[in-house]
């Protein structure tokens, strides 16, 4: 899977959780899930589960704590795939 | 309108079953939070919880043999213990076999009831064994099972119902019973709430990652309301019950009176303006507190003690700020404030009622029960409240008017005003 493919798949996941007034076009690498994209922090755990299913990995509590932005998420996904 | 007083209390809490044990535990700062191996075996991140110890309680005192057969609903057990104890504490008897007590009702809430019984039933059902569910799978798992059991035991003939509003449930039940007596529709209302214990109730919260996970070896340190190191709420369970009664009825019976319910308010933040399914709209919280004070016919200057919702999450400073704004009080003018969740965790639907029982015990005992685990008060809280208003040990102080609030998922709020009774 190329970096671009991973990014696209992550965006597909995130799209479901965006509030009505935030479009998928506004999602960038530096976007912060809660403060910029206004995703309810309670939904972060659901994004983590979707990511686990999509990339066949397992994220621990500590991984989730470090997952503030889209880029953070991609870094963690890459780290887990490499393990 | 009728004045409403509290004439009976009952409690089944993680740090004490029965009023005597509970009072002693709160006075001495005893925690009811413990490690639970079954949570570890099920891979919970948070393996600690508050669970009442009913092992040594003689359940035959409360249930008939038929009722005990196949009983697998912990919330129902806690609720019946607390409810029946409160009724006895008020000096009331069960109605005779022929006539219900038309003037007595029950509002006893819960979040979800009989989860273990439901699981048992689902396993049988999925095996195609529906006919083997037995006769009690419905009554142990219907939400109103708890008010139905209590209604049958006591013989209440007024309104008998169950309310549900997440962690506001218990406080809401008190307010609903208060309003019914105030309006002259009942003389006595047994009010309270219960919450099941166990992994099937707590698992959803563990999955949300809002429970502390670094205290599995030091469970008594885990619940840290108002602390800078608060790391999430510790899940709890149990039940609390209060007998509310019209003042006329209480005086006529010569009943002991713990205190008076002066008033209260309930509202919702509509999941707007920062409020969400899981977070409160601060404006709504402040309005709820202010409306409760107005409804009680007092002013913010009269409130000398607050028992907060204060669950030990990062939201505690926001709650204190809401109290401070609503009461227009800061520093040394801020009332004494405590959170009993430091002792027994967050008992979810049972939280409000157990905490109301504790608040009334403060009136009776002339004590403010100390807060555990907040030796490091959050700096944002210290900007608003003088540290001596957050007692870390139980202090001798006769509260005159206590404000008690509970907030719940769905952005719902409830606030009650209790006072010392004076004719």
């Amino acid at each position: 899977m190329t970096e671009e493919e991973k990014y696209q798949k992550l965006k597909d996941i995130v799209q479901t959780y965006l509030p009505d007034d935030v479009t998928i076009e506004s999602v960038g690498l530096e976007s912060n899930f809660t403060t910029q994209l206004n995703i309810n922090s309670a939904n972060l755990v659901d994004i983590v589960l979707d990511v686990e299913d999509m990339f066949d990995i397992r994220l621990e509590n500590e991984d989730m704590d470090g997952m503030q932005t889209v880029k953070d998420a991609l870094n963690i996904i890459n780290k887990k795939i490499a393990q | 309108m009728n004045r409403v007083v509290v004439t009976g209390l009952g409690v089944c809490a993680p740090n004490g079953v029965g009023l005597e044990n509970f009072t002693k535990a709160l006075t001495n700062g005893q925690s009811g939070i413990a490690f639970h191996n079954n949570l570890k075996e099920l891979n919970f991140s948070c393996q600690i919880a508050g669970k009442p110890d009913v092992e040594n309680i003689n359940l035959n005192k409360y249930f008939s043999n038929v009722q005990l057969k196949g009983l697998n609903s912990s919330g129902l057990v806690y609720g019946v213990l607390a409810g029946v104890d409160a009724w006895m504490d008020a000096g009331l008897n069960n109605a005779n076999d022929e006539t219900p007590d038309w003037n007595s009702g029950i509002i006893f809430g819960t979040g979800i009831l009989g989860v273990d019984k439901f699981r048992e039933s689902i396993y049988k059902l999925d095996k195609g064994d529906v006919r083997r569910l037995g006769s009690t799978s419905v009554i142990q798992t219907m939400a109103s099972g708890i008010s139905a059991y209590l209604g049958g035991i006591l013989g209440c003939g007024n309104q008998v119902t169950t309310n549900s509003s997440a962690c506001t449930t218990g406080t809401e039940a008190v307010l609903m019973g208060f309003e019914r007596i105030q309006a002259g529709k009942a003389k006595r209302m047994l009010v309270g709430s219960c919450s099941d214990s166990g992994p099937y109730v707590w698992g959803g919260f563990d999955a949300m990652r809002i429970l502390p996970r670094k205290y599995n070896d030091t469970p008594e340190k885990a619940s840290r309301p108002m602390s800078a190191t608060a790391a999430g709420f510790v899940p709890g369970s149990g039940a609390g019950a209060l007998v509310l009664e019209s003042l006329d009825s209480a005086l006529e019976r010569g009943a002991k009176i713990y205190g008076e319910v002066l008033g209260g308010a309930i509202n919702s933040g509509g999941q707007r303006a920062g409020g969400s399914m899981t977070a409160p709209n601060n404006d709504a919280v402040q309005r709820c507190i202010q409306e409760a004070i107005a409804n009680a016919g007092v002013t913010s200057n009269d409130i000398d003690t607050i028992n907060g919702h204060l669950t030990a999450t990062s939201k505690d400073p926001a709650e204190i700020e809401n109290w401070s704004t609503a009461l227009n009080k800061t520093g040394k003018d801020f009332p004494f404030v405590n959170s009993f969740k430091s002792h027994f965790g967050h008992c979810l639907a049972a939280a409000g009622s157990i905490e109301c029982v504790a608040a009334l015990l403060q009136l009776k005992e002339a004590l403010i029960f100390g807060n555990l685990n907040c030796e490091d008060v959050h700096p944002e809280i210290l900007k608003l409240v003088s540290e001596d208003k957050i007692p870390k040990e139980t202090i001798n102080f006769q509260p005159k008017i206590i404000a008690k609030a509970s907030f719940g998922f769905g952005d719902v709020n409830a606030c009650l005003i209790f006072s010392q009774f004076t004719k």
Side-chain angles (χ1 to χ4, degrees):
Chain A
M1 211 184 296
T2 66
E3 287 307 302
E4 188 52 37
E5 281 168 343
K6 285 177 205 156
Y7 183 35
Q8 190 53 49
K9 280 182 191 295
L10 182 59
K11 281 211 284 193
D12 289 346
I13 290 172
V14 169
Q15 184 160 20
T16 309
Y17 301 98
L18 292 175
D20 291 342
D21 57 352
V22 180
T23 62
I24 188 67
E25 286 74 36
S26 53
V27 177
L29 272 176
E30 303 298 331
S31 305
N32 184 297
F33 290 115
T34 53
T35 59
Q36 288 172 311
L37 299 179
N38 278 331
I39 292 174
N40 185 330
S41 60
N43 285 136
L44 285 181
V45 299
D46 301 308
I47 292 178
V48 165
L49 297 180
D50 291 351
V51 164
E52 289 188 344
D53 292 340
M54 176 70 79
F55 297 98
D56 195 25
I57 53 178
R58 184 189 154 105
L59 302 183
E60 304 300 335
N61 289 325
E62 298 68 39
D63 299 323
M64 190 181 152
D65 293 342
M67 212 182 80
Q68 306 279 324
T69 65
V70 173
K71 198 173 169 185
D72 293 338
L74 282 172
N75 286 340
I76 291 164
I77 291 167
N78 278 326
K79 197 176 100 192
K80 293 288 167 179
I81 291 177
Q83 276 176 8
Chain B
M1 283 197 297
N2 288 312
R3 287 173 70 182
V4 180
V5 292
V6 181
T7 55
L9 297 174
V11 68
C12 185
N15 67 337
V17 178
L19 286 181
E20 197 186 325
N21 292 332
F22 186 58
T23 306
K24 208 187 293 171
L26 287 169
T27 308
N28 300 333
Q30 286 163 8
S31 169
I33 295 164
F35 171 77
H36 292 271
N37 200 47
N38 62 334
L39 301 179
K40 183 180 181 181
E41 285 171 354
L42 291 168
N43 301 319
F44 273 54
S45 294
C46 174
Q47 300 161 3
I48 55 174
K51 183 179 172 180
D53 181 8
V54 294
E55 287 292 305
N56 298 317
I57 305 283
N58 179 10
L59 293 182
N60 284 302
K61 243 181 78 190
Y62 299 88
F63 295 94
S64 67
N65 284 333
V66 180
Q67 285 175 327
L68 283 174
K69 194 166 181 302
L71 183 59
N72 192 16
S73 169
S74 54
L76 194 53
V77 172
Y78 305 149
V80 167
L81 259 58
V84 170
D85 281 358
W87 205 247
M88 298 299 137
D89 182 52
L92 295 164
N93 299 313
N94 299 354
N96 69 43
D97 284 347
E98 295 308 318
T99 319
D101 178 355
W102 305 113
N103 295 313
S104 295
I106 300 174
I107 299 177
F108 217 94
T110 192
I112 184 168
L113 193 70
V115 174
D116 291 330
K117 187 70 182 179
F118 199 42
R119 176 175 183 265
E120 184 189 307
S121 301
I122 286 169
Y123 272 103
K124 283 182 183 163
L125 234 156
D126 281 347
K127 278 200 307 188
D129 243 353
V130 64
R131 62 178 200 88
R132 293 202 54 82
L133 294 190
S135 67
T136 61
S137 72
V138 174
I139 57 176
Q140 286 192 47
T141 64
M142 64 183 193
S144 60
I146 181 55
S147 52
Y149 268 77
L150 284 167
I153 294 166
L154 306 177
C156 292
N158 205 278
Q159 181 184 23
V160 173
T161 190
T162 287
N163 66 304
S164 192
S165 51
C167 306
T168 307
T169 301
T171 303
E172 179 181 65
V174 179
L175 185 59
M176 290 168 77
F178 161 74
E179 287 173 345
R180 192 162 177 83
I181 297 171
Q182 197 181 41
K185 293 178 180 173
K187 283 187 183 172
R188 287 166 295 272
M189 294 295 293
L190 176 64
V191 297
S193 59
C194 63
S195 192
D196 275 14
S197 54
Y200 311 109
V201 177
W202 300 326
F205 299 101
D206 200 67
M208 292 174 83
R209 309 190 193 212
I210 51 178
L211 312 183
R213 44 189 194 249
K214 297 197 171 121
Y215 292 90
N216 293 334
D217 298 327
T218 50
E220 297 188 357
K221 296 279 165 209
S223 186
R224 314 181 62 76
M226 294 185 277
S227 153
T229 47
F233 77 79
V234 176
S237 53
L242 297 78
V243 175
L244 304 184
E245 188 160 1
S246 74
L247 178 59
D248 291 346
S249 167
L251 292 177
E252 198 181 300
R253 293 195 305 117
K256 71 168 171 286
I257 294 176
Y258 286 96
E260 179 167 1
V261 187
L262 291 182
I266 195 149
N267 74 358
S268 168
Q271 300 179 42
R272 297 290 187 276
S276 71
M277 185 59 86
T278 54
N281 169 343
N282 291 324
D283 184 42
V285 169
Q286 291 163 22
R287 288 175 74 104
C288 186
I289 295 167
Q290 287 170 340
E291 284 170 15
I293 292 169
N295 180 260
V298 295
T299 72
S300 64
N301 291 331
D302 300 319
I303 312 285
D304 55 26
T305 308
I306 291 170
N307 180 244
H309 187 60
L310 298 166
T311 59
T313 67
S314 55
K315 301 274 187 205
D316 287 1
E319 180 180 332
I320 294 293
E321 193 175 349
N322 284 331
W323 282 107
S324 175
T325 306
L327 302 176
N328 194 23
K329 298 278 171 199
T330 54
K332 289 207 171 293
D333 288 337
F334 197 89
F336 285 113
V337 57
N338 58 11
S339 170
F340 306 131
K341 291 184 178 78
S342 61
H343 299 74
F344 43 70
H346 187 352
C347 297
L348 306 171
S353 59
I354 298 176
E355 292 164 15
C356 280
V357 170
L360 281 150
L361 288 172
Q362 293 188 136
L363 284 178
K364 172 175 175 259
E365 303 287 331
L367 296 172
I368 305 281
F369 298 132
N371 294 284
L372 308 183
N373 301 322
C374 73
E375 57 282 353
D376 54 344
V377 179
H378 197 291
E380 293 299 316
I381 292 176
L382 286 179
K383 283 182 193 165
L384 296 167
V385 184
S386 170
E387 192 159 3
D388 60 341
K389 293 294 182 176
I390 308 172
K392 287 156 195 143
E393 284 182 352
T394 298
I395 56 170
N396 291 306
F397 176 84
Q398 176 63 62
K400 289 192 175 59
I401 299 191
I402 298 180
K404 198 281 168 284
S406 296
F407 314 118
F409 277 10
D411 200 6
V412 291
N413 312 304
C415 182
L416 288 166
I417 310 294
F418 296 112
S419 79
Q420 233 186 338
F421 173 67
T422 45
K423 278 190 185 168

